[in-house]
Amino acid sequence: MSKVMIIGAGGVARVAAFKCAEHPEVFESFMIASRTVSKCDRIAADIEKELGYANVTTAAIDAEDVPALTALLNEYRPDLVMHLALPYQDLTIMDACLNAGISYLDTANYEPKEEAKFEYGHQWAYQQKFKDAGLTAILGCGFDPGVTQVFTAYAAKHHFDEIHYLDIVDANAGDHGKAFATNFNPEINIREITQNGKYWENGEWVEIPPFSIRKDLNYPDVGPKASYVLFHEELESLVKNFPTIKRARFWMTFGDEYLTHLRVIENIGMAGIQPVMHKGVEIIPLEFLKTVLPDPGSLGENYVGQTSIGCRIKGIKDGKDQTYYIWNNCQHAQAYKETGAQGVSYTTGVPAMTGAMMFLTGEWAGAGVFNVEEFNPDPFLKKLAEHGLPWREKLGVDTEMEYPD
Ligand code: NDP
């Protein structure tokens, strides 16, 4: 039995905390530590009320203050830190974990505040430090990044000799009834989707303007949805770990209304990340926009519909062409009923808790910095289904994606 420290108190942290509390046989106790302690207290109170689990403590912490976080870690001595705050804190939390001798897990790769460019290089640079310390860092253990890489590793292990084409397909066919809202932190989300798209082809990255490649893809139990190629961080580690991949793309669905709002936000300068002066005070337009947009955590109550995220793969098995589709669909209303959070938080928080369980039970082990496709996919996917995200697979039926050979 183990104890963990969850950092952050947003939608994803809420779901992960609920799921940890549902498994006291592994998570004997845990702390929720975040910038605003009242949010941690609310999650702890809801868990006690809903699940009768009372072993949650809370603390206020600025995760960018390495000495303060190191002191908190030394005082609480968790077996693992689950970093579910924001990507800006990845490196300071990894530093504090190294200081205190504690292993680390997150759900999004590091991004500097002043430049909207995420890449794994910053965190892969910690490889030797974690190895030398005998500690484990598990990077990107949400759904995408996260489950999509485990799906790919599962496909490589069980269904392919070589993977040649990978398309990660992410649909949110949900309706929260708001004119415009993002499903996770608006600042991080808008920074991600307004940067240039990028995909991997024949050994190099092809850069494209945002939203310039569109295709209507069919999602299981959802139907056709307009999908656009974006860059997503897991592509970077997947093409490194599966070098037979000739092309890897990431597709996400967006509705016309959403794109119209986004275009206006960009055109009037509200997506800017450089400081501007407003009434003698320096503000960052996108940070201000975040304060007036709906809190993603508040979307759950009337959210209907579902998400559908998966991997569509083509490659070779026993000398023959093989196509494969593996996916999960998650209902927003069901996620809300169980945890008080919507489906996007649920599909991130459940894998984070499942990855933590893999580490704490010794299924995923090793000293160093790891992306999740480097571990055994089988025990993770078994538990993921038990924890509320059942997945399905289809072989030899995928004719929709276009392949050069
Ligand atoms: P939220 O914005 O809802 O929550 C973020 C939390 O982090 C808030 O409680 C916030 O505190 C806290 N926080 C921010 N800065 C600090 C700091 N310096 N020190 C301590 N706490 C801090 O985000 P989500 O819950 O939606 O997302 C959490 C993470 O999950 C993000 O990194 C996001 O990118 C990632 N994600 C990953 C996905 C995946 O599939 N892999 C999908 C969706 C999200 P406060 O309340 O004070 O603002």
Side-chain angles (χ1 to χ4, degrees):
M1 292 209 283
S2 316
K3 61 179 184 177
V4 298
M5 182 187 290
I6 293 174
I7 300 182
V12 175
R14 179 182 184 86
V15 171
F18 263 77
K19 300 307 281 191
C20 290
E22 283 175 18
H23 293 277
E25 72 284 5
V26 176
F27 301 90
E28 187 184 13
S29 56
F30 59 90
M31 172 182 274
I32 310 172
S34 189
R35 195 164 49 183
T36 311
V37 73
S38 57
K39 293 192 185 174
C40 309
D41 293 338
R42 200 172 317 137
I43 298 173
D46 288 350
I47 285 175
E48 186 163 5
K49 187 166 151 242
E50 300 289 328
L51 302 173
Y53 180 101
N55 302 341
V56 186
T57 43
T58 61
I61 191 69
D62 176 356
E64 291 172 31
D65 181 342
V66 177
L69 181 56
T70 304
L72 186 67
L73 289 171
N74 276 327
E75 192 189 314
Y76 188 67
R77 299 299 317 159
D79 299 291
L80 178 72
V81 163
M82 297 171 69
H83 163 30
L84 307 177
L86 298 180
Y88 309 134
Q89 288 96 46
D90 287 10
L91 302 186
T92 52
I93 298 179
M94 289 174 89
D95 285 332
C97 282
L98 286 166
N99 289 343
I102 287 161
S103 288
Y104 168 92
L105 174 147
D106 70 25
T107 60
N109 75 1
Y110 175 69
E111 176 171 339
K113 276 187 192 156
E114 59 286 353
E115 193 193 3
K117 183 170 187 291
F118 46 85
E119 58 182 339
Y120 272 119
H122 302 281
Q123 291 181 275
W124 286 341
Y126 280 67
Q127 177 68 267
Q128 202 55 45
K129 287 184 190 167
F130 273 79
K131 253 193 183 144
D132 292 346
L135 297 172
T136 309
I138 300 172
L139 306 185
C141 198
F143 208 102
D144 46 350
V147 176
T148 52
Q149 289 138 280
V150 182
F151 279 166
T152 307
Y154 183 84
K157 183 172 174 183
H158 297 287
H159 299 299
F160 290 92
D161 298 323
E162 279 184 16
I163 291 181
H164 292 166
Y165 298 98
L166 168 67
D167 287 283
I168 299 173
V169 287
D170 177 334
N172 183 1
D175 183 3
H176 45 55
K178 310 261 189 230
F180 182 83
T182 62
N183 291 292
F184 64 96
N185 187 286
E187 192 187 329
I188 304 296
N189 192 194
I190 290 174
R191 283 166 67 117
E192 172 182 310
I193 61 181
T194 53
Q195 55 185 272
N196 272 349
K198 209 163 74 167
Y199 63 94
W200 181 257
E201 194 164 42
N202 299 325
E204 57 186 42
W205 292 106
V206 181
E207 198 159 325
I208 53 166
F211 302 106
S212 57
I213 299 182
R214 173 192 159 147
K215 197 172 165 60
D216 288 341
L217 295 177
N218 273 290
Y219 294 84
D221 301 323
V222 166
K225 298 281 287 179
S227 308
Y228 297 82
V229 170
L230 302 179
F231 176 60
H232 228 240
E233 61 212 62
E234 65 265 46
L235 296 178
E236 198 188 352
S237 69
L238 283 167
V239 298
K240 182 168 91 104
N241 288 318
F242 297 98
T244 58
I245 292 180
K246 297 179 190 175
R247 186 185 67 198
R249 300 179 295 193
F250 182 95
W251 301 81
M252 190 176 271
T253 61
F254 293 95
D256 290 344
E257 264 294 283
Y258 185 97
L259 292 179
T260 303
H261 277 81
L262 190 67
R263 198 167 63 244
V264 173
I265 285 169
E266 282 194 279
N267 285 345
I268 61 173
M270 288 305 295
I273 61 170
Q274 298 308 325
V276 294
M277 292 306 288
H278 174 70
K279 293 188 174 173
V281 181
E282 207 175 66
I283 62 163
I284 293 177
L286 184 55
E287 282 182 6
F288 173 73
L289 180 68
K290 174 182 182 283
T291 63
V292 294
L293 285 177
D295 175 356
S298 71
L299 300 176
E301 198 165 357
N302 299 309
Y303 218 141
V304 293
Q306 59 188 322
T307 62
S308 177
I309 314 176
C311 295
R312 301 170 74 150
I313 297 174
K314 180 170 187 270
I316 299 283
K317 180 73 177 169
D318 299 330
K320 292 200 191 94
D321 281 353
Q322 171 86 290
T323 58
Y324 179 67
Y325 191 172
I326 178 168
W327 75 95
N328 159 265
N329 281 22
C330 175
Q331 297 285 344
H332 289 289
Q334 205 163 325
Y336 183 72
K337 193 163 161 247
E338 185 187 339
T339 62
Q342 36 87 352
V344 175
S345 303
Y346 192 88
T347 55
T348 313
V350 172
M353 168 272 190
T354 305
M357 184 183 272
M358 291 296 105
F359 171 76
L360 296 170
T361 56
E363 294 279 5
W364 286 5
V369 172
F370 298 89
N371 291 94
V372 294
E373 66 271 29
E374 296 176 77
F375 296 116
N376 182 2
D378 298 350
F380 177 93
L381 288 183
K382 182 170 178 287
K383 286 289 175 196
L384 188 76
E386 289 170 19
H387 294 162
L389 293 176
W391 45 276
R392 286 190 283 156
E393 57 183 340
K394 273 195 303 198
L395 268 168
V397 288
D398 198 342
T399 52
E400 193 173 57
M401 305 309 296
E402 287 147 28
Y403 302 110
D405 55 54

